[in-house]
Amino acid sequence: MYDLLIKDALLVTCDKKHSLYQNGVMAVKAGRIKEITESGSAVADSLQAKEVISAKGQIVMPGLINMHCHAADSLFRGLVENLSLEAWLGRVWIAEKAILTPKTTFLGSVLGLAENLLSGVTSVMDMFWYPVETALAARMLGMRLSTGGIFFDPPGIGGRTHDDYVIEAKEFSATFGGSSDIFPATMPHGTYTVSPKHLISAKSIADENEELFCTHAAETKAEQADIQNRYGKSVIRHLASHGLLGNRTVLAHCVHVDDHEISLMAESDTSVVHNPMSNLKLGSGISPTFMMQEAGIRLTIGTDGAISGNDLDMWLAMRLTSGLAKGVSMKPDVLPAKDVLHMATLNGAEALGKKLELGSLEVGKRADFIFLD
Ligand SMILES: [Zn+2]
């Protein structure tokens, strides 16, 4: 006897083969998918469960994975318009300093994470000032979240120093490491706001615990020029030279990357998060996703925060991902829907180190799925 049986669904599994079940049946027990089959088969007829849901006319698919968000920035939605990243950040940081406390961060996180959840996102990678509050908000909503200690060298929120950030990152990891819903990471803001020494310190905390390391990278041309000027290397070369790339590194944006930077990310198995709406709103540019895909980079999708995209809509992000790649490459066959669906599901799960648990409807994985009407 299973706990739950979903019947008559169009099952879009998002597995490696893009398997579809037109009239699918899925059985769940103890939070895990135990059986997936087509209706009418002998197996399907034998399945019994305490609860049966008919999903006739509906699509059932894995919960989406939003790989780059600042959920609590929903408090500032619409506050800053028509500015480039650098000028925009100047305004955002003033607003954040004015009102952010652990309590307002919790409330903002609930708001932003609920928007994700209500549009079918069940897992989020989030970077923010008080990560414990965001983790508690996610737990309250029943979502999965990857976040952790932030690192930021200029005066940030709460007057913390690098040593404080180190303590917070270690405490976060000790508190949430090993849980099935919160996946700790270290989260230096970027190469232009965190020194190489402090980036390495953040990475070593992540490495000690085999956790993720996430940062903004190569978002604007100005950022690339700044890092080139300071360190004599472009952003991705700079990260690579300090041993900061790898299969547990997640880089948000990568809009301005050259062929060599693409090969550095591909060879190191680094994950990239494409944030098309944010890149468009801030006039940052259009990421060469199709070139990164060709190079074999694991591409994922994010919404970024609600101040840089005005909403947290992964469906819009997916449409833009496909459309922008086709338009910029002038090749209508690049990034078809099935690849973009993988970017928003299975690739995200792989980037989080959870490919055996999340990202597709497959026997043995967690029953983390959504209904679409
Ligand atoms: Zn961001």
Side-chain angles (χ1 to χ4, degrees):
M1 178 74 77
Y2 294 105
D3 296 330
L4 176 66
L5 203 55
I6 310 289
K7 292 173 76 173
D8 311 315
L10 172 52
L11 287 177
V12 178
T13 66
C14 296
D15 68 5
K16 282 265 182 222
K17 294 186 206 156
H18 305 281
S19 306
L20 289 180
Y21 294 81
Q22 295 292 340
N23 210 350
V25 178
M26 183 165 70
V28 172
K29 185 159 189 176
R32 300 264 171 191
I33 298 169
K34 295 293 185 187
E35 191 74 62
I36 297 182
T37 185
E38 199 71 64
S39 160
S41 65
V43 175
D45 291 342
S46 70
L47 300 174
Q48 301 218 325
K50 293 174 200 158
E51 185 183 359
V52 178
I53 295 176
S54 170
K56 204 168 181 56
Q58 294 183 305
I59 291 171
V60 173
M61 63 175 283
L64 300 177
I65 301 179
N66 180 354
M67 281 297 292
H68 187 64
C69 192
H70 311 280
D73 267 340
S74 292
L75 296 170
F76 308 102
R77 186 193 308 266
L79 184 69
V80 191
E81 301 290 319
N82 308 315
L83 289 177
S84 67
L85 175 72
E86 292 72 22
W88 174 93
L89 277 173
R91 299 264 186 99
V92 167
W93 286 334
I94 290 170
E96 288 181 340
K97 270 184 192 167
I99 70 157
L100 284 180
T101 61
K103 187 170 180 203
T104 53
T105 296
F106 176 78
L107 295 172
S109 297
V110 171
L111 190 63
L113 292 175
E115 181 178 348
N116 272 286
L117 190 58
L118 289 169
S119 61
V121 175
T122 54
S123 304
V124 175
M125 188 172 215
D126 195 271
M127 178 192 287
F128 211 67
W129 296 104
Y130 295 107
V132 170
E133 307 305 319
T134 309
L136 295 177
R139 197 162 262 181
M140 188 184 86
L141 293 167
M143 298 179 74
R144 295 176 216 290
L145 182 81
S146 178
T147 192
I150 194 164
F151 290 81
F152 190 73
D153 290 349
I157 309 298
R160 293 121 95 193
T161 65
H162 177 71
D163 289 345
D164 296 326
Y165 291 132
V166 167
I167 292 167
E168 286 175 16
K170 288 183 175 174
E171 280 180 0
F172 189 94
S173 180
T175 305
F176 295 102
S179 69
S180 62
D181 56 348
I182 309 293
F183 314 137
T186 56
M187 305 209 132
H189 173 265
T191 52
Y192 57 106
T193 46
V194 183
S195 70
K197 196 175 150 206
H198 291 171
L199 287 170
I200 291 165
S201 146
K203 180 77 162 79
S204 69
I205 295 169
D207 285 348
E208 258 168 47
N209 304 302
E210 297 189 356
E211 292 166 351
L212 300 165
F213 171 84
C214 170
T215 192
H216 294 103
E219 184 173 355
T220 68
K221 275 199 167 167
E223 174 195 346
Q224 278 286 20
D226 179 12
I227 297 306
Q228 183 73 40
N229 196 29
R230 285 198 227 182
Y231 305 113
K233 292 188 187 80
S234 64
V235 173
I236 306 301
R237 286 175 179 84
H238 174 62
L239 289 167
S241 72
H242 292 294
L244 300 171
L245 301 183
N247 67 356
R248 290 198 302 270
T249 293
V250 178
L251 300 181
H253 297 298
C254 299
V255 175
H256 298 283
V257 285
D258 61 27
D259 288 349
H260 183 60
E261 290 180 298
I262 290 175
S263 68
L264 285 172
M265 293 188 286
E267 283 160 16
S268 59
D269 200 22
T270 297
S271 298
V272 168
V273 192
H274 178 43
N275 299 273
M277 191 57 229
S278 169
N279 298 153
L280 290 171
K281 172 174 167 176
L282 301 180
S284 300
I286 297 173
S287 169
T289 47
F290 58 98
M291 290 166 64
M292 290 195 274
Q293 191 199 35
E294 235 172 65
I297 291 175
R298 185 184 310 103
L299 289 175
T300 66
I301 300 182
T303 58
D304 215 344
I307 336 177
S308 59
N310 293 32
D311 62 21
L312 306 172
D313 185 346
M314 278 289 284
W315 300 98
L316 173 65
M318 285 193 275
R319 283 183 73 191
L320 287 174
T321 295
S322 186
L324 288 171
K326 293 173 193 301
V328 169
S329 66
M330 293 190 284
K331 292 177 184 166
D333 57 343
V334 301
L335 288 192
K338 63 186 175 62
D339 291 0
V340 174
L341 264 182
H342 268 176
M343 288 171 71
T345 54
L346 196 55
N347 291 11
E350 283 185 5
L352 292 174
K354 301 290 172 191
K355 70 175 180 183
L356 300 177
E357 295 281 297
L358 304 171
S360 59
L361 304 181
E362 292 182 73
V363 171
K365 285 199 175 187
R366 290 190 180 276
D368 185 328
F369 56 85
I370 57 175
F371 293 85
L372 303 178
D373 55 21

Coordinates of all heavy atoms in Angstrom, one line a residue, residues 215-220 223-224 235-236 239 245 249-258 261-262 265 270-275 279 284-289 292 297-299:
T215 N 29.1 32.7 -6.0 CA 29.4 34.1 -6.0 C 28.9 34.7 -7.4 O 28.6 33.9 -8.3 CB 30.9 34.3 -5.9 OG1 31.1 35.7 -5.6 CG2 31.7 33.9 -7.1
H216 N 28.7 36.0 -7.4 CA 28.4 36.7 -8.6 C 29.6 36.8 -9.5 O 30.7 37.1 -8.9 CB 27.9 38.1 -8.3 CG 26.6 38.2 -7.6 ND1 26.5 38.5 -6.3 CD2 25.3 38.1 -8.0 CE1 25.2 38.5 -5.9 NE2 24.5 38.3 -7.0
A217 N 29.6 36.6 -10.8 CA 30.8 36.6 -11.6 C 30.5 37.1 -13.0 O 29.6 36.6 -13.6 CB 31.4 35.2 -11.6
A218 N 31.4 38.0 -13.4 CA 31.3 38.4 -14.8 C 30.0 38.9 -15.3 O 29.5 38.6 -16.4 CB 31.9 37.3 -15.8
E219 N 29.4 39.7 -14.4 CA 28.0 40.2 -14.7 C 28.0 41.4 -15.7 O 27.1 41.5 -16.5 CB 27.3 40.6 -13.4 CG 25.8 41.0 -13.5 CD 25.2 41.2 -12.2 OE1 25.8 40.9 -11.1 OE2 24.0 41.6 -12.1
T220 N 28.9 42.3 -15.5 CA 29.0 43.5 -16.4 C 30.4 43.7 -17.0 O 31.3 43.2 -16.4 CB 28.6 44.8 -15.6 OG1 29.6 45.1 -14.7 CG2 27.3 44.6 -14.9
E223 N 32.5 45.5 -14.4 CA 33.1 44.5 -13.4 C 34.4 43.9 -14.0 O 35.4 43.8 -13.3 CB 32.1 43.5 -13.0 CG 32.6 42.4 -12.1 CD 31.7 41.2 -12.0 OE1 30.5 41.3 -12.5 OE2 32.1 40.1 -11.6
Q224 N 34.3 43.4 -15.2 CA 35.4 42.8 -15.9 C 36.6 43.7 -15.9 O 37.7 43.4 -15.6 CB 35.1 42.3 -17.3 CG 34.3 41.0 -17.4 CD 35.3 39.8 -17.1 OE1 36.3 39.9 -16.5 NE2 34.8 38.6 -17.5
V235 N 37.7 38.2 -14.7 CA 37.0 37.6 -13.5 C 37.2 36.1 -13.4 O 37.6 35.6 -12.4 CB 35.5 38.0 -13.5 CG1 34.8 37.2 -12.3 CG2 35.3 39.5 -13.3
I236 N 36.9 35.4 -14.5 CA 37.0 33.9 -14.4 C 38.4 33.4 -14.3 O 38.7 32.5 -13.5 CB 36.2 33.2 -15.6 CG1 34.8 33.8 -15.7 CG2 36.2 31.7 -15.4 CD1 33.9 33.5 -14.5
L239 N 39.3 34.0 -10.7 CA 38.8 32.9 -9.8 C 39.6 31.6 -10.0 O 39.9 30.9 -9.0 CB 37.3 32.6 -10.1 CG 36.3 33.7 -9.7 CD1 35.0 33.5 -10.4 CD2 36.2 33.8 -8.2
L245 N 37.3 27.6 -8.8 CA 36.4 26.9 -9.7 C 36.3 25.5 -9.3 O 37.1 25.0 -8.6 CB 36.8 27.1 -11.2 CG 36.9 28.5 -11.7 CD1 37.3 28.5 -13.2 CD2 35.7 29.3 -11.5
T249 N 31.3 24.8 -7.2 CA 31.3 26.2 -7.4 C 30.1 26.6 -8.3 O 29.9 26.0 -9.4 CB 32.6 26.8 -8.0 OG1 33.6 26.6 -7.1 CG2 32.5 28.2 -8.4
V250 N 29.3 27.6 -7.9 CA 28.2 28.0 -8.6 C 28.4 29.5 -8.9 O 28.5 30.3 -8.0 CB 26.9 27.8 -7.8 CG1 25.7 28.4 -8.6 CG2 26.7 26.4 -7.5
L251 N 28.5 29.9 -10.2 CA 28.7 31.3 -10.6 C 27.4 31.9 -11.2 O 26.9 31.4 -12.2 CB 29.8 31.4 -11.6 CG 31.2 30.8 -11.1 CD1 32.2 31.0 -12.2 CD2 31.7 31.5 -9.8
A252 N 27.0 33.0 -10.6 CA 25.8 33.6 -11.1 C 26.2 34.7 -12.1 O 27.1 35.5 -11.9 CB 25.0 34.3 -9.9
H253 N 25.5 34.6 -13.2 CA 25.5 35.5 -14.4 C 26.5 35.1 -15.5 O 26.0 34.6 -16.5 CB 25.8 37.0 -13.9 CG 24.8 37.5 -13.0 ND1 23.5 37.7 -13.4 CD2 24.8 37.8 -11.7 CE1 22.8 38.2 -12.4 NE2 23.6 38.2 -11.3
C254 N 27.8 35.3 -15.4 CA 28.7 35.0 -16.5 C 28.2 35.5 -17.9 O 28.0 34.8 -18.8 CB 28.9 33.4 -16.6 SG 29.7 32.8 -15.1
V255 N 27.9 36.8 -17.9 CA 27.4 37.5 -19.1 C 28.6 37.8 -20.0 O 28.5 37.6 -21.2 CB 26.7 38.8 -18.7 CG1 26.2 39.5 -20.0 CG2 25.5 38.4 -17.8
H256 N 29.7 38.3 -19.4 CA 30.8 38.7 -20.2 C 32.0 37.7 -20.0 O 32.8 37.9 -19.1 CB 31.2 40.1 -19.9 CG 30.1 41.1 -20.2 ND1 29.8 41.5 -21.4 CD2 29.1 41.6 -19.4 CE1 28.7 42.3 -21.4 NE2 28.3 42.4 -20.2
V257 N 32.0 36.7 -20.8 CA 33.0 35.7 -20.7 C 33.6 35.4 -22.1 O 32.8 35.3 -23.0 CB 32.5 34.4 -20.0 CG1 32.4 34.6 -18.5 CG2 31.2 33.9 -20.6
D258 N 34.9 35.2 -22.2 CA 35.5 34.9 -23.5 C 35.7 33.4 -23.6 O 35.4 32.6 -22.7 CB 36.8 35.7 -23.7 CG 37.9 35.4 -22.7 OD1 37.8 34.3 -22.1 OD2 38.7 36.2 -22.4
E261 N 37.7 31.7 -20.9 CA 37.0 31.7 -19.6 C 35.9 30.5 -19.6 O 35.7 29.8 -18.7 CB 36.3 33.0 -19.3 CG 37.3 34.1 -18.9 CD 36.7 35.4 -18.6 OE1 36.0 36.0 -19.5 OE2 36.8 35.9 -17.5
I262 N 35.3 30.4 -20.8 CA 34.3 29.3 -21.0 C 35.0 28.0 -20.8 O 34.5 27.1 -20.1 CB 33.5 29.5 -22.3 CG1 32.6 30.7 -22.3 CG2 32.8 28.2 -22.7 CD1 31.9 31.0 -23.6
M265 N 35.7 27.2 -17.1 CA 34.6 26.7 -16.4 C 34.2 25.3 -16.8 O 33.8 24.5 -15.9 CB 33.4 27.7 -16.6 CG 33.7 29.1 -16.0 SD 32.2 30.2 -16.0 CE 32.1 30.6 -17.7
T270 N 32.4 23.7 -13.4 CA 31.8 24.7 -12.6 C 30.3 24.9 -13.1 O 30.1 24.8 -14.3 CB 32.6 26.0 -12.8 OG1 33.9 25.9 -12.2 CG2 31.9 27.2 -12.1
S271 N 29.4 25.2 -12.2 CA 28.0 25.5 -12.6 C 27.8 27.0 -12.9 O 28.4 27.8 -12.1 CB 27.0 25.0 -11.6 OG 27.1 23.6 -11.4
V272 N 27.0 27.3 -13.9 CA 26.7 28.7 -14.2 C 25.2 28.9 -14.0 O 24.4 28.0 -14.4 CB 27.1 29.0 -15.6 CG1 26.5 30.4 -16.1 CG2 28.6 29.0 -15.7
V273 N 24.8 30.0 -13.4 CA 23.4 30.4 -13.3 C 23.1 31.6 -14.3 O 23.7 32.6 -14.1 CB 23.0 30.8 -11.9 CG1 21.4 30.9 -11.8 CG2 23.5 29.9 -10.8
H274 N 22.2 31.3 -15.2 CA 21.8 32.4 -16.1 C 20.6 33.1 -15.5 O 19.6 32.5 -15.1 CB 21.4 31.6 -17.4 CG 20.9 32.5 -18.5 ND1 21.4 33.7 -18.8 CD2 19.8 32.4 -19.4 CE1 20.8 34.3 -19.8 NE2 19.8 33.5 -20.2
N275 N 20.6 34.4 -15.5 CA 19.6 35.3 -14.9 C 19.1 36.3 -15.9 O 19.4 37.5 -15.8 CB 20.1 36.0 -13.7 CG 20.6 35.1 -12.6 OD1 19.8 34.6 -11.8 ND2 21.9 34.7 -12.6
N279 N 19.7 40.5 -16.1 CA 20.7 41.0 -17.0 C 20.1 42.0 -18.0 O 20.7 42.9 -18.4 CB 21.3 39.8 -17.8 CG 22.0 38.8 -16.9 OD1 22.2 37.7 -17.3 ND2 22.5 39.3 -15.8
S284 N 22.9 44.8 -18.4 CA 24.2 44.1 -18.2 C 24.7 43.5 -19.5 O 25.9 43.4 -19.8 CB 24.1 43.1 -17.1 OG 23.7 43.6 -15.9
G285 N 23.7 43.0 -20.3 CA 24.1 42.3 -21.5 C 23.4 40.9 -21.6 O 22.5 40.7 -20.8
I286 N 23.7 40.1 -22.6 CA 23.1 38.8 -22.8 C 24.1 37.8 -22.7 O 25.1 37.8 -23.5 CB 22.3 38.8 -24.1 CG1 21.2 39.8 -24.1 CG2 21.7 37.4 -24.4 CD1 20.5 40.0 -25.4
S287 N 23.9 36.8 -21.8 CA 24.9 35.8 -21.6 C 25.0 34.8 -22.8 O 24.0 34.5 -23.4 CB 24.5 35.0 -20.3 OG 25.3 33.8 -20.2
P288 N 26.2 34.4 -23.2 CA 26.3 33.5 -24.3 C 26.0 32.1 -23.9 O 26.9 31.2 -23.9 CB 27.8 33.7 -24.7 CG 28.5 34.0 -23.4 CD 27.5 34.8 -22.6
T289 N 24.8 31.8 -23.5 CA 24.4 30.5 -22.9 C 24.7 29.4 -23.9 O 25.1 28.3 -23.6 CB 22.9 30.5 -22.5 OG1 22.2 31.1 -23.6 CG2 22.7 31.3 -21.3
M292 N 28.2 28.4 -24.0 CA 28.6 27.7 -22.7 C 28.0 26.3 -22.8 O 28.6 25.3 -22.4 CB 28.1 28.4 -21.5 CG 28.8 29.7 -21.3 SD 28.6 30.4 -19.6 CE 27.1 31.4 -19.9
I297 N 29.2 23.2 -20.3 CA 29.0 23.7 -19.0 C 27.6 23.4 -18.5 O 26.6 23.4 -19.2 CB 29.2 25.2 -19.0 CG1 30.7 25.5 -19.2 CG2 28.8 25.9 -17.7 CD1 31.0 27.0 -19.4
R298 N 27.5 23.0 -17.2 CA 26.2 22.8 -16.6 C 25.5 24.1 -16.3 O 25.9 24.9 -15.5 CB 26.4 22.1 -15.2 CG 25.1 21.7 -14.5 CD 25.3 21.1 -13.2 NE 26.3 20.0 -13.2 CZ 27.6 20.2 -12.8 NH1 28.0 21.3 -12.3 NH2 28.4 19.2 -12.9
L299 N 24.5 24.4 -17.2 CA 23.8 25.7 -17.1 C 22.5 25.5 -16.3 O 21.8 24.6 -16.5 CB 23.4 26.1 -18.5 CG 24.5 26.6 -19.4 CD1 23.9 26.9 -20.8 CD2 25.2 27.8 -18.9

